[in-house]
């Protein structure tokens, strides 16, 4: 893996080079093993929280972890193109527009003891902007090369906070073209429902049941690229104990191993249908 500037990363994409990189400010990673018609993203995978913010933050390290999406990058790590955030959404949220990316409160609790100084805000917003410069260059390259692209936008959610039965997988589709891509959405939902998970976990799958796909990552790509489908794919945190802060690596591995084949099969079906 190389440490590269934003301009270097974009230049490599434009030249169609294969590479593994971390941005020079260590805010995100991008690996491209080959240029294919699909991309995996994990914008909330990050847990880093820069030290100058610690004393001013009212949320504990556990509270931040609880709202992040740990292991979502690892679930798609085997695929050729993976872009993932390294910073916590509590510093800035890559799945929100720039004007709302820096929280003042989070899930009903004030975040900062004192308002953030403008220079600290700007440092975070610069990282947000740079990430989206790379996203734009990446999707442009894939759409130009293949004529289309499908993005698997991986997230997780805290299923125990719901007071009703919720699915293992939720697809949020309210901001994509359901008339054009309805079949692709349904085949992805069906494929996820067929996963075999350990510990008696049922792999149920629904559309717009818990979340509707309102994230900025999806909206940014959808608004800028007319032949790209973003599949906002949320897994309930059945792969950890969200209250006791324990990871279940066997569940993460089971998801990763099965997505190796299922995700590729779905992406290939998408390409065949829409090319």
């Amino acid at each position: 893996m190389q440490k590269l500037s934003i301009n270097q990363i974009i230049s490599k994409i434009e030249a169609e080079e294969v590479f593994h990189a971390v941005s020079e400010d260590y805010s995100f990673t991008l690996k491209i093993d080959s240029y294919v018609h699909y991309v995996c993203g994990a914008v909330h995978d990050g847990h880093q929280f820069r030290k100058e913010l610690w004393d001013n933050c009212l949320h504990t390290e556990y509270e931040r972890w609880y709202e992040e999406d740990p292991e979502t990058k690892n679930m798609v790590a085997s695929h050729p193109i993976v872009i993932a955030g390294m910073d916590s959404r509590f510093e800035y949220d890559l799945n929100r527009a720039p004007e709302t990316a820096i929280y003042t409160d989070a899930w009903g609790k004030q975040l900062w003891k004192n308002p953030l100084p403008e220079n600290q805000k700007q440092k975070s917003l610069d990282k947000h902007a740079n990430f989206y410069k790379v996203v734009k260059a990446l999707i442009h390259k894939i759409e130009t090369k293949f004529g289309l692209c499908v993005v698997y936008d991986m997230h997780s959610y805290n299923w125990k906070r719901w007071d009703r039965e919720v699915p293992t997988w939720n697809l949020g589709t309210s901001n994509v073209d359901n008339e054009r891509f309805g079949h692709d959405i349904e085949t992805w939902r069906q494929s996820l429902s067929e996963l075999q998970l350990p510990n008696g976990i049922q792999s149920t799958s629904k559309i717009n049941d818990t979340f509707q796909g309102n994230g900025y990552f999806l909206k940014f790509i959808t608004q800028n690229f007319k032949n790209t489908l973003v599949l906002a794919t949320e897994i309930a945190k059945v792969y950890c104990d969200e209250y006791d802060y324990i990871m279940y690596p066997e569940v993460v591995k089971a998801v990763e191993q099965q997505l190796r084949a299922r995700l590729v099969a779905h992406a290939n079906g998408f390409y065949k249908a829409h090319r």
Side-chain angles (χ1 to χ4, degrees):
M1 180 175 280
Q2 303 169 275
K3 181 174 76 170
L4 300 175
S5 70
I6 298 303
N7 287 338
Q8 287 173 320
I9 292 171
I10 291 173
S11 293
K12 285 183 177 293
I13 293 169
E14 290 174 344
E16 222 168 289
E17 295 182 32
V18 296
F19 64 98
H20 291 201
V22 61
S23 61
E24 63 184 353
D25 59 9
Y26 294 99
S27 62
F28 70 92
T29 59
L30 171 62
K31 77 148 185 170
I32 303 179
D33 289 331
S34 61
Y35 285 80
V36 294
H37 51 278
Y38 71 97
V39 170
C40 296
V43 298
H44 283 159
D45 185 75
H47 187 58
Q48 289 181 159
F49 194 66
R50 69 175 195 265
K51 196 170 184 179
E52 69 176 343
L53 301 174
W54 292 2
D55 289 343
N56 195 26
C57 184
L58 292 166
H59 285 239
T60 65
E61 191 267 345
Y62 163 74
E63 287 174 314
R64 297 195 300 271
W65 173 86
Y66 179 81
E67 302 295 353
E68 295 159 353
D69 297 349
E71 300 292 342
T72 48
K73 177 184 176 181
N74 284 335
M75 291 176 187
V76 292
S78 65
H79 296 281
I81 305 177
V82 180
I83 188 166
M86 292 182 66
D87 291 326
S88 173
R89 65 194 301 185
F90 282 76
E91 181 188 340
Y92 60 98
D93 193 334
L94 287 170
N95 214 28
R96 290 191 182 185
E99 55 270 21
T100 58
I102 297 177
Y103 302 164
T104 54
D105 61 86
W107 289 271
K109 178 180 175 181
Q110 182 180 331
L111 184 55
W112 309 109
K113 296 175 187 174
N114 301 296
L116 286 182
E118 286 304 314
N119 67 319
Q120 290 186 5
K121 287 184 181 179
Q122 194 58 52
K123 191 180 295 186
S124 296
L125 290 174
D126 287 346
K127 292 193 280 188
H128 185 286
N130 284 334
F131 177 84
Y132 278 98
K133 288 177 185 176
V134 171
V135 169
K136 192 169 187 177
L138 176 62
I139 305 302
H140 175 74
K141 167 58 69 176
I142 301 305
E143 261 207 13
T144 301
K145 184 174 177 64
F146 296 100
L148 50 78
C149 178
V150 56
V151 178
Y152 298 89
D153 175 19
M154 302 299 293
H155 294 271
S156 64
Y157 76 96
N158 302 92
W159 67 276
K160 290 183 179 180
R161 67 165 27 136
W162 292 77
D163 60 3
R164 62 174 174 85
E165 186 176 344
V166 292
T168 308
W169 298 93
N170 178 84
L171 302 185
T173 68
S174 64
N175 288 286
V176 299
D177 188 340
N178 284 263
E179 183 174 347
R180 182 182 181 190
F181 297 123
H183 176 73
D184 308 285
I185 292 165
E186 173 54 26
T187 55
W188 184 229
R189 186 209 62 76
Q190 178 64 32
S191 185
L192 293 170
S193 74
E194 295 168 359
L195 267 70
Q196 301 296 310
L197 301 178
N199 308 332
I201 299 168
Q202 298 299 308
S203 192
T204 55
S205 180
K206 294 186 178 181
I207 295 171
N208 297 327
D209 183 83
T210 50
F211 298 94
Q212 286 70 48
N214 291 316
Y216 183 70
F217 184 66
L218 180 151
K219 288 181 177 179
F220 176 88
I221 295 172
T222 300
Q223 289 166 6
N224 283 283
F225 299 96
K226 299 309 176 189
N227 291 311
T228 295
L229 169 63
V230 183
L231 290 165
T233 304
E234 301 246 6
I235 182 172
K237 288 182 179 173
V238 295
Y239 62 89
C240 68
D241 187 316
E242 62 196 59
Y243 292 149
D244 286 342
Y245 200 173
I246 298 170
M247 301 303 304
Y248 304 151
E250 76 280 20
V251 182
V252 175
K253 192 64 177 176
V255 172
E256 187 273 327
Q257 287 178 332
Q258 291 172 78
L259 289 188
R260 287 184 193 183
R262 289 187 176 277
L263 196 151
V264 174
H266 184 268
N268 288 342
F270 174 86
Y271 182 69
K272 186 175 181 180
H274 297 284
R275 65 184 174 181

